[in-house]
Amino acid sequence: MWEQMGGWISILGPEQYGHIDWLIFEGIIVDSLEAKEAISSLMQEPFCSVPLVWIIQEDILANRLLQYEEMGWKHLVSHWKTTFSRANVIVFPDFTLPMLYSVLDTGNFFVVPGSPVDVWAAESYSKTQSKYQLRKNRGFSKDDMLVLVVGSSIFYNDLSWDYAVAMHAIGPLLTKYARRKDEGGSFKFVFLCGNSTDGYDDALQEVAARLGLLDGSVRRYGLNSDVNSVLLMADIVLYGSDQDVQGFPPLLIRAMTFGIPVIAPDFPVLKKYVVDGIHGIFFPKHNPDALMRAFSLLISNGKLSEFAQTVASSGRLLAKNILASECITGYARLLENVLNFSSDAMLPGSISQLQQGAWEWNLFRKEIEKRTVDMQNVDEKATLLRKYSVVYALEEEFTNFVYSTNGSANGTGILSEDMLTKLDWDVLRVLESSEEDEMIEMEELEDRMDRNLGAWDDLYRNARKAEKVKFEANERDEGELERTGQTLCIYEIYSGAGSWPFLHHGSLYRGLSLTLRERRLRSDDVNAAGRLPFLKDSYYRDILCEIGGMFSIANKVDDIHRRPWIGFQSWRAAGRKASLSLKAEKVLEETIRENTAGDVIYFWARVDKDGVTGSNDVLTFWSMCDILNGGHCRSAFEDAFRRMYGLPLHVEALPPMPEDGGYWSALHSWVMPTPSFLEFIMFSRMFTDSLDALHTNSGKINTCLLGSSELEKQHCYCRVLELLVNVWAYHSARNMVYMDPHTGSLEEQHPVEQRKGFMWAKYFNFTLLKSMDEDLAEAADDGDHPREMWLWPLTGEVHWQGIYEREREERYRQKMDKKRKTREKLRERQKHGYRQKTLAVIDPKKRQKTIAE
């Protein structure tokens, strides 16, 4: 059905979880507890902001939580709680599961009643099991009248007051029917409650003896046993709890699906769906006489009456789609509130348009009819669960850790308090980064403070030691050694540990981390925030994204990059299968080596027009930019361009872009000569500052108009700045060449000869840009800031002719001061009689004789 709607299906295995760019999704729905490993990869930046809805329908973990507490496995509980906290919403299909998982609640639990799972499981089970064989296996006769008493499924380890009250309420019923024995069979009351291993069966037998019931007329099975087998072999299901329920009990849905008549108190939530006397029988709670009358309607001569069979048949039809409409609309409202749709997404219709009131059973019929693994043996089922469930796999991992650390092989030992969980590692990483920040801050403070430098010997020894440490560090830096002599270095921009698997290794690449604490260990990755301090502010780092890293490289570029060519690639290119292959890398290096003249930009990640619209509409550059930026790209670009150059309102300020069907660069994945890069950064800094001026007024940040979702507003300028290199390259007459990232084939885009008459070369002239850059630098140097939050001086170097002259004058002044101090020292020596002593006296005659000889 999804493929018919135009979607595509991709099956992801656990080995792929760490290599998926989750940012390409508007949201993620996880529909099983077993998908925990996928959620672990979503707990790292930059994926922490992706909306996550986790649907949990299993109780396997809930059954283990109490045992974890009894065994002292606090770290395992903490581990699961941390994992649960990642989800924006944890969705349960009924109201009992949230109570069972309450120890893991972090305020994100939500209930959407209804699920086809109960009906699906019941139908699948009934096709593989025989009702009478199940009775025989449990010691019942086929002629016995089995009455199953169910209630709240919350209590697992103790016999609750819920069932104590139920025993009292149905006491007259037990007294009347459980004492008699008809021909061929007798009434047997089966209670489904508690844990199958609990030791309070004697309590039930004591009550039965007190009421004078026949031996064996009362039995109990635990909720952790094969519940479906207990339900299927019953003749009548009685909901014996007097506690009001918030949702339709799943056990009743399964019983109705099995075709078993149901008797229940007249709870409002049950009366909302079930018609009394049609789909089931109601009785007023706390009224034993009404219960007796309702029960008698279903019995005729010790067997089920025709009325009971009619009720069972009607109930079965009702159960098939009993909560379908509420569930479908509930999920629609949930997704509407959780998901943040991007500007290029096709928005869904109104929830009021949903008219579907049934599940799409025809899509799953083959799966239901397909025979599954025979699980008649409960022990076999438990063995399979232990073998395949992530819950037991994690338990085994923790137990092995206990065994290796404490030498205890049993799985009931208390976990060592020294055991580190993922939360502990996260805290440790934060502490290390904060300590590093404090160390850097202390070093900066020490550099500004006057201090005694100490003796010359100490200074010399410390300097030699520092040189030795630096030499050893360089020896370990294999990446820098491999890049020696190369003409090109591509900086891979990333943010967060989640993007590490997408980065490349080798001499051609070097990482560029936007954050210090998420930089790769044992690598020579560049710290963008260290080179450009304003990137430490998360606000600026978020609104600029990758281009902020480019600003950091351009800032005093000779300190870090002394190669004729420079390139960049976003980590997202690898996630979207748009990064360079080994073959393409070789072609690129050979092409650059041969092309020693000419200004050209090579790009390999292109804008996917089909992916933007999902249709065959022909898009222009600016219409595509509008789609990606909430419909305001053209207006924002035009206003920023007009402000940047000071153009009057009657002058056109939106640079024209061709409609020749060529490709455009995306994902900041391109290579160009280093001087061209510096020119592009000069233009980008001024344009970004002008764009920022449109969103800041009197020191206040206005609402971002370039995005519709909260995530897009957080990264306000990113999508416009991602396309900015195309405008600059086109109008500055750079050759634009597209390289296929897989094959390495080259194809020129928008040839320069065809741009004549369209290019705005006068606005992209280097001399004009340089003069504008110097004017801004002079204003920044004089303290003449146009607004309080002026972005331009923060994005790189501030230089103009006045600074050069001042620096030259400062160097001349220092030189003169040094000469003056030298003369003063000489005067002081002469004044106090400090003169050089005569080393020796030579007779002039002897001197002449020596010279002659």
Side-chain angles (χ1 to χ4, degrees), residues 277 436 448 596 622 656 662 729 762 843:
E436 187 171 355
R448 300 173 187 173
T596 57
W622 290 118
K762 62 179 180 179
D843 187 352

Side-chain angles (χ1 to χ4, degrees), residues 709-745:
S709 67
E710 291 299 323
L711 184 61
E712 287 184 332
K713 292 178 180 179
Q714 180 183 357
H715 303 290
C716 187
Y717 310 154
C718 298
R719 294 166 301 283
V720 172
L721 297 178
E722 182 180 339
L723 301 176
L724 183 62
V725 68
N726 297 288
V727 180
W728 171 82
Y730 181 85
H731 289 280
S732 62
R734 261 73 180 184
N735 292 321
M736 304 178 69
V737 179
Y738 170 72
M739 169 178 281
D740 188 289
H742 306 294
T743 64
S745 60

Side-chain angles (χ1 to χ4, degrees), residues 218-270:
V218 176
R219 291 192 190 181
R220 185 191 68 87
Y221 295 100
L223 285 166
N224 62 333
S225 61
D226 189 0
V227 174
N228 285 329
S229 65
V230 179
L231 286 170
L232 182 58
M233 68 182 185
D235 293 305
I236 299 174
V237 171
L238 169 63
Y239 194 83
S241 174
D242 287 335
Q243 295 182 5
D244 204 349
V245 292
Q246 293 178 283
F248 207 101
L251 290 177
L252 291 188
I253 295 179
R254 294 206 180 199
M256 295 168 68
T257 304
F258 283 134
I260 302 172
V262 171
I263 304 175
D266 54 353
F267 296 139
V269 69
L270 300 182

Side-chain angles (χ1 to χ4, degrees), residues 125 138 196 221-222 224-227 229-230 374-385:
Y125 191 85
R138 296 183 180 271
S196 59
Y221 295 100
N224 62 333
S225 61
D226 189 0
V227 174
S229 65
V230 179
D374 187 5
M375 290 189 177
Q376 296 182 18
N377 192 328
V378 177
D379 294 334
E380 179 184 352
K381 179 179 178 181
T383 302
L384 289 173
L385 286 175

